[in-house]
Amino acid sequence: METLLIQGGAKLSGRVVVSGAKNAALPAIAAALLTGGTVNLSGVPSLDDIVTMCELLESVGVTVNRGPGCLSLNARGASAREASYSLVRRMRASFLIAGPMLARFGIARMPMPGGCAIGSRPIDLHLKAFSAMGAELSVESGYIEATAPKGLKSAHIYLDYPSVGATENAMMAAALVKGSTVLENAAREPEIVDLANLLTKMGAKVVGAGTGVIRIQGTDELEGANHVVIPDRIEAGTYMTAAAITKGDVILENVVPEHLTAVIAKLRELGAAVEAEESEIRVSSEGKPKAVDIKTMPYPGFPTDLQAQFMALLSLADGMSIITETVFENRFMHVDELTRMGAKIRIDGRAAVIEGVDDLSGAPVNATDLRAGAALVVAGLAANGDTEIVNIGHIDRGYEHIERKLNSLGANVVRRSVPKERKASAATAS
Ligand code: EPZ
């Protein structure tokens, strides 16, 4: 088993290059299923989730050629096979192949995606979009089957919630359906805009991405395309938080400041200095952060994927902060672990009340999910003493070369291999 051992106390300084966005690359990979042409992606981060998505596509017949930071995908040989349960259960984003499979082959048979640590995360909005486009749905023995033997039809779809995944699945399906499909109350994330740009290059006409109303003029055949994935705004926000909590001075390269307006505003509100240029952001901080309140919202609101990292930062704030998580119903798994490091946090329903303390102390802690793990890294960088994080597989799903990047900024992070903990023997268990 691998752990991250962090010796806290170093002020981060220097330059770090942000990788391509995991949450833009994943739908882009799925979109390759829509065509028999070749889709070439670059700026692709090397992450475990990307590996999983590529294996999933290969399992339904897609040829995937991998290069440094790039993928070449060809789905000419793909067919309507059942997606493998073991792959789908590994990653919720696997469900993003449902829309392309349904549009291309008239059938998608998917294991119900497992719930995960941050909430039940249903797929009802994805399914509502598919049925609005004429698909027949059935559920049996843990599998969802969507069929459209006569093909999908264009539709006017209203999403009850601006779900990122449901918006992406509906956009991809509509791109391969002749006629104009309208998505109302669509998600507005930059990753949606990136997918719209790719689908447009492939021959669909997509307008309105980034707003709540997206119109997709689909066609019955899409072409291959070349596409560069946008930078990862959540990875960027994580390093910005790390710079602030260590009272450092860090310049991030390969970022889109416009994707981080809520995060930049919040950092300035809590007292960090943030300078945003064309494709660089500089974050520096001297004193303790001021206490601020945060409410996570769909984009362009404050991103839920940075809630945990900001909670770590606010654990050292001067005063009482309140973080309200409105997107997921159970995204406070990091609270117990931060408490073990000396944070003073009380959960009250969807709100967490954080009473700032003077210091955090290093401790052995457990990464329960991707962004909770990132929060523990951020906390460990500023804690007194050593923090050892287990279950760092969660972190490796979303952060490329995390220890290499942090150490290049002056941190002390070591990836260790430790023997799997032996099960406690009966004698000690009693
Ligand atoms: C995407 O997940 C991201 N993942 C998540 O990032 C991110 O936290 C989330 O969007 C919100 O921004 C990828 O892009 C691969 P949603 P997704 O559908 O699409 C409810 C990370 O850390 N909902 O917008 O699954 C759902 O339960 C990950 O990189 C329904 O009720 O998010 C949740 O409460 C974590 N029915 C809310 O909507 C549905 O059919 C937001 O979910 C779909 C969603």
Side-chain angles (χ1 to χ4, degrees):
M1 176 179 76
E2 288 190 320
T3 68
L4 283 180
L5 180 63
I6 303 170
Q7 188 187 2
K11 288 181 190 299
L12 299 192
S13 68
R15 289 177 164 268
V16 65
V17 179
V18 173
S19 303
K22 164 177 82 81
N23 293 349
L26 292 171
I29 293 167
L33 275 165
L34 290 164
T35 175
T38 298
V39 173
N40 296 309
L41 301 176
S42 51
V44 178
S46 71
L47 298 169
D48 293 356
D49 274 8
I50 301 297
V51 172
T52 301
M53 195 60 148
C54 290
E55 285 173 4
L56 182 63
L57 260 67
E58 285 174 320
S59 75
V60 297
V62 177
T63 307
V64 180
N65 290 313
R66 298 159 173 84
C70 55
L71 293 171
S72 182
L73 306 129
N74 184 286
R76 194 186 323 284
S79 65
R81 286 168 238 181
E82 188 173 292
S84 97
Y85 177 63
S86 62
L87 284 170
V88 172
R89 70 192 293 271
R90 218 191 284 173
M91 181 180 68
R92 173 184 165 81
S94 309
F95 202 73
L96 289 173
I97 70 168
M101 294 286 277
L102 181 57
R104 175 97 184 271
F105 303 115
I107 180 169
R109 188 170 154 74
M110 300 287 299
M112 295 281 273
C116 67
I118 60 178
S120 59
R121 298 179 75 184
I123 50 169
D124 56 318
L125 300 176
H126 300 241
L127 302 180
K128 265 180 83 175
F130 296 156
S131 49
M133 296 173 78
E136 300 289 319
L137 303 173
S138 64
V139 180
E140 31 105 6
S141 52
Y143 277 78
I144 290 260
E145 185 165 286
T147 53
K150 298 194 201 65
L152 294 173
K153 58 187 193 328
S154 56
H156 193 123
I157 300 165
Y158 178 80
L159 292 175
D160 299 327
Y161 183 88
S163 152
V164 172
T167 302
E168 289 167 343
N169 247 331
M171 277 168 69
M172 289 189 283
L176 203 51
V177 175
K178 278 176 87 71
S180 170
T181 294
V182 178
L183 295 184
E184 288 221 52
N185 197 28
R188 298 164 53 180
E189 275 72 1
E191 293 76 27
I192 302 288
V193 176
D194 204 39
L195 178 60
N197 292 338
L198 171 58
L199 293 173
T200 301
K201 287 180 192 172
M202 293 171 70
K205 285 186 180 41
V206 185
V207 290
T211 75
V213 182
I214 304 176
R215 294 177 195 290
I216 304 108
Q217 188 73 31
T219 176
D220 47 17
E221 191 166 348
L222 292 170
E223 310 293 319
N226 300 330
H227 187 68
V228 183
V229 167
I230 55 170
D232 193 320
R233 61 193 169 95
I234 304 302
E235 184 198 20
T238 305
Y239 285 101
M240 291 160 74
T241 316
I245 202 171
T246 59
K247 302 189 180 63
D249 185 349
V250 173
I251 293 173
L252 291 89
E253 298 175 8
N254 188 38
V255 290
V256 180
E258 296 72 35
H259 293 169
L260 285 149
T261 31
V263 178
I264 291 170
K266 204 46 79 174
L267 281 172
R268 285 175 174 156
E269 189 186 337
L270 58 76
V274 184
E275 294 155 41
E277 310 279 329
E278 177 94 0
S279 62
E280 292 189 352
I281 293 178
R282 178 173 183 176
V283 178
S284 59
S285 169
E286 258 122 47
K288 275 171 87 64
K290 295 188 192 100
V292 295
D293 293 343
I294 291 176
K295 184 172 182 181
T296 66
M297 297 292 280
Y299 194 89
F302 189 92
T304 173
D305 292 348
L306 284 169
Q307 178 257 106
Q309 299 90 318
F310 269 71
M311 189 182 288
L313 174 57
L314 292 172
S315 300
L316 291 171
D318 183 11
M320 185 88 74
S321 307
I322 298 177
I323 294 182
T324 309
E325 172 56 62
T326 74
V327 177
F328 290 107
E329 80 262 13
N330 180 24
R331 203 171 195 173
F332 286 144
M333 311 286 278
H334 40 285
V335 169
D336 287 351
E337 300 305 304
L338 289 172
T339 305
R340 288 170 46 76
M341 298 177 72
K344 282 204 183 121
I345 306 167
R346 179 171 52 81
I347 296 178
D348 178 6
R350 287 221 159 184
V353 182
I354 303 110
E355 185 188 336
V357 294
D358 288 338
D359 295 300
L360 293 175
S361 1
V365 286
N366 173 35
T368 50
D369 58 86
L370 166 55
R371 306 303 175 185
L376 298 175
V377 172
V378 168
L381 290 169
N384 297 328
D386 289 353
T387 296
E388 184 150 31
I389 306 174
V390 297
N391 285 325
I392 59 170
H394 289 296
I395 299 173
D396 290 338
R397 291 183 54 178
Y399 290 90
E400 190 179 40
H401 311 316
I402 188 164
E403 70 269 24
R404 189 192 308 172
K405 291 190 179 185
L406 287 171
N407 290 337
S408 74
L409 293 170
N412 298 297
V413 184
V414 173
R415 183 180 289 258
R416 297 205 316 167
S417 291
V418 297
K420 246 188 167 347
E421 271 170 45
R422 274 180 296 288
K423 287 259 175 299
S425 66
T428 50
S430 57

